[in-house]
Amino acid sequence: MMSSFGHSRRTGAARSDASGMAVAGLVCGIVGLFVLSIVLGPLAIVFGWLAMGRRWSGGRPGMATAAFVLGWIDTVLAVIWLSTAATTGMLF
């Protein structure tokens, strides 16, 4: 009997990748609320989208959707902050 050491089923590997992407996106989204939101926001969007399997069904819908939404919140808040700081002259 031959074993398949080191080989996993495609569905198991895909689930693991989606789970990792969802966690990475969620971490980027949460940390992005406090620091570097202009960078971490888009990363959270991308990780959340990839974790959803590039569509709205499949993957890890709870964490992936949270990462996607937090990424958009981070990005919008960063753009608002940058535009407000630029108009008032308080950028740096």
Side-chain angles (χ1 to χ4, degrees):
M1 179 184 260
M2 296 180 67
S3 68
S4 60
F5 181 73
H7 299 286
S8 64
R9 290 183 171 175
R10 182 174 285 276
T11 57
R15 239 181 241 152
S16 175
D17 289 345
S19 206
M21 290 283 186
V23 170
L26 195 58
V27 168
C28 285
I30 292 170
V31 173
L33 289 173
F34 302 105
V35 293
L36 291 174
S37 59
I38 196 69
V39 175
L40 294 176
L43 279 176
I45 294 169
V46 169
F47 286 147
W49 185 258
L50 290 175
M52 285 187 277
R54 295 180 187 90
R55 58 184 188 267
W56 287 105
S57 62
R60 304 276 287 168
M63 283 196 295
T65 305
F68 190 77
V69 169
L70 279 174
W72 276 109
I73 291 170
D74 289 348
T75 305
V76 168
L77 289 177
V79 168
I80 290 171
W81 179 79
L82 284 173
S83 65
T84 303
T87 58
T88 60
M90 306 274 297
L91 193 54
F92 292 106

